[in-house]
């Protein structure tokens, strides 16, 4: 396949659909490509275990942004979703940033279309805008500071208490942060399809069946789930908690990909995925799970799909990202 054919294929499908020899050792091939191309492979915890195992760095959104900003590799291969790869390009524009499947979006980012958000923001000219990193570059460009679930409290606390704030796009995280910081931020009505699916009723039953288990939850979950949780944190914070805590069983209310690292770090402990309110595997993120080892290999071999962006948009989106990185650095926060 030549580069032109690869680009046509990307326009058609959003990823390269290669006919890969099933005998090929994709782990070894990906390692080889990393060295050949001086590439770093960054993966989110929600990626499938095979991808996590071949990654150079696995992290939450804060850690991934920090790594993308500081790397001196020539190529950043992002095993995550579109807004994450876009964030890497915003922070480190001279690198070639690749995403194995351009269709890997995010329901939370989709819940805040830029024109609608701009009209909303214009109604409150005295408000400062704090946006969760799970948003498009256009929303970042309309924001004053970006945050992640790992640093949101510190970011909000850096703003004077009498300053009115708009928080976007996650209403669940926003409501949780309003409680934690005693603020009254105006919330955009967005949510993550994965974290809204957990069933309080089924978790209650599960807790009765496993009385020795703690419930740990991501703050993108609804209030009813968070009110039942023993610990709430970003994916990195949840993982760290399970390493240092002395319980042996955990019901985990976030995307199931994180269980791979939890189980590896604490092989003797039991991790139970929190049940969704129906019988599908809806607590698997359909966007994150679009990436596969095969697509990853094709993407690295042919260097497509690549993330590109208008320089004016990149610069506007970088300002609130830099603010976030500065506040996180000053607070000693690493994802
Ligand atoms: P963190 O990894 O930052 O906790 O975010 C979770 C998430 O939903 C990413 O899409
Ligand atoms: Fe977006 Fe939710 Fe998937 Fe994270 S888990 S990428 S917030 S849809």
């Amino acid at each position: 396949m030549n580069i032109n054919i690869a680009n046509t294929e990307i326009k058609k499908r959003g990823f390269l659909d290669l006919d890969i020899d099933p005998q090929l050792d994709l782990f070894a091939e990906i390692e080889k490509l990393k060295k050949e191309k001086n590439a770093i492979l960054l993966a989110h915890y929600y990626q499938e275990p095979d991808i996590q195992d071949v990654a150079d760095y696995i992290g939450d959104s804060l850690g991934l942004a920090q790594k993308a900003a500081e790397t001196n590799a020539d190529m950043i291969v992002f095993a995550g979703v579109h807004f994450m790869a876009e964030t890497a390009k915003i922070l480190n524009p001279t690198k070639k940033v690749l995403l194995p499947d351009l269709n890997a979006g995010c329901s939370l980012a989709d819940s805040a279309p830029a024109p609608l958000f701009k009209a909303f923001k214009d109604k409150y000219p005295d408000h400062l805008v704090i946006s969760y990193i799970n948003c498009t570059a256009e929303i970042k460009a309309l924001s004053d500071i970006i945050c992640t679930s790992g640093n949101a409290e510190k970011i909000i606390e850096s703003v004077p208490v009498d300053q009115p704030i708009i928080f976007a796009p996650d209403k669940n995280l926003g409501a949780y942060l309003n409680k934690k910081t005693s603020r009254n931020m105006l919330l955009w009505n967005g949510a993550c399809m994965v974290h809204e699916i957990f069933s309080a009723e089924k978790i209650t039953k599960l807790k009765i069946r496993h009385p020795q288990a703690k419930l740990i939850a991501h703050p993108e979950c609804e209030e009813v789930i968070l009110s039942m949780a023993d610990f709430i944190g970003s994916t990195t914070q949840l993982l760290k908690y399970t390493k240092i805590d002395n319980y042996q069983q955990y019901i985990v209310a976030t995307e199931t990909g994180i269980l791979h690292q939890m189980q590896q770090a604490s092989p003797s402990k039991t991790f139970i995925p929190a049940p969704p309110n129906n019988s599908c595997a809806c607590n698997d993120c359909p966007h994150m799970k679009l990436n596969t080892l095969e697509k990853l290999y094709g993407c690295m071999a042919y260097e497509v799909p690549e993330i590109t962006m208008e320089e004016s948009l990149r610069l506007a989106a970088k300002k609130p990202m830099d603010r976030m990185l500065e506040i996180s650095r000053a607070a000693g926060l690493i994802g």
Side-chain angles (χ1 to χ4, degrees), residues 88-306:
K89 190 68 186 174
I90 291 167
L91 293 171
N92 213 335
T94 60
K95 311 300 178 190
K96 186 174 250 189
V97 178
L98 305 174
L99 179 69
D101 189 335
L102 287 180
N103 303 305
C106 167
S107 63
L108 193 43
D110 290 346
S111 66
L116 289 185
F117 184 69
K118 164 99 175 54
F120 174 74
K121 173 187 149 142
D122 287 349
K123 284 203 270 179
Y124 304 97
D126 58 335
H127 281 53
L128 183 111
V129 177
I130 301 182
S131 294
Y132 189 38
I133 197 166
N134 298 36
C135 64
T136 60
E138 285 79 6
I139 295 290
K140 289 186 174 76
L142 290 167
S143 307
D144 297 293
I145 320 178
I146 302 301
C147 72
T148 72
S149 48
N151 61 18
E153 265 182 77
K154 279 273 182 282
I155 300 284
I156 292 165
E157 280 161 6
S158 75
V159 175
V161 281
D162 55 351
Q163 168 64 56
I165 299 172
I166 290 173
F167 185 86
D170 190 350
K171 63 174 179 195
N172 293 322
L173 176 62
Y176 168 73
L177 291 165
N178 268 344
K179 252 192 178 168
K180 282 289 271 189
T181 61
S182 307
R183 305 275 174 133
N184 187 22
M185 299 187 295
L186 203 52
L187 309 180
W188 180 260
N189 188 19
C192 159
M193 62 195 284
V194 177
H195 289 88
E196 282 222 309
I197 206 84
F198 296 114
S199 158
E201 199 186 322
K202 287 189 191 169
I203 292 177
T204 305
K205 286 185 185 152
L206 202 57
K207 282 183 90 162
I208 296 168
R209 278 212 305 281
H210 300 273
Q212 302 304 329
K214 274 187 182 174
L215 172 67
I216 58 173
H218 194 281
E220 285 174 27
C221 293
E222 291 178 315
E223 218 258 315
V224 59
I225 306 294
L226 297 180
S227 66
M228 299 162 70
D230 297 289
F231 180 77
I232 298 166
S234 75
T235 47
T236 294
Q237 290 163 347
L238 294 176
L239 174 61
K240 278 190 185 150
Y241 182 74
T242 60
K243 288 185 196 171
I244 56 171
D245 185 60
N246 60 10
Y247 269 53
Q248 292 302 307
Q249 292 178 24
Y250 300 88
I251 299 167
V252 184
T254 191
E255 213 270 359
T256 54
I258 187 79
L259 268 66
H260 183 56
Q261 293 303 317
M262 288 178 173
Q263 201 65 77
Q264 279 196 339
S266 311
S268 64
K269 296 188 179 183
T270 304
F271 299 97
I272 309 161
N277 58 19
N278 52 31
S279 54
C280 73
C282 305
N283 46 347
D284 275 348
C285 173
H287 305 288
M288 287 279 182
K289 297 300 198 270
L290 280 180
N291 294 323
T292 61
L293 218 48
E294 287 78 10
K295 286 182 193 166
L296 191 55
Y297 165 73
C299 149
M300 292 179 76
Y302 292 95
E303 304 186 13
V304 283
E306 182 181 357

Side-chain angles (χ1 to χ4, degrees), residues 316-333:
K318 186 169 183 293
K319 243 168 100 177
M321 280 298 307
D322 284 344
R323 194 79 197 94
M324 174 190 94
L325 292 176
E326 262 166 46
I327 298 169
S328 305
R329 204 174 304 120
L333 293 172

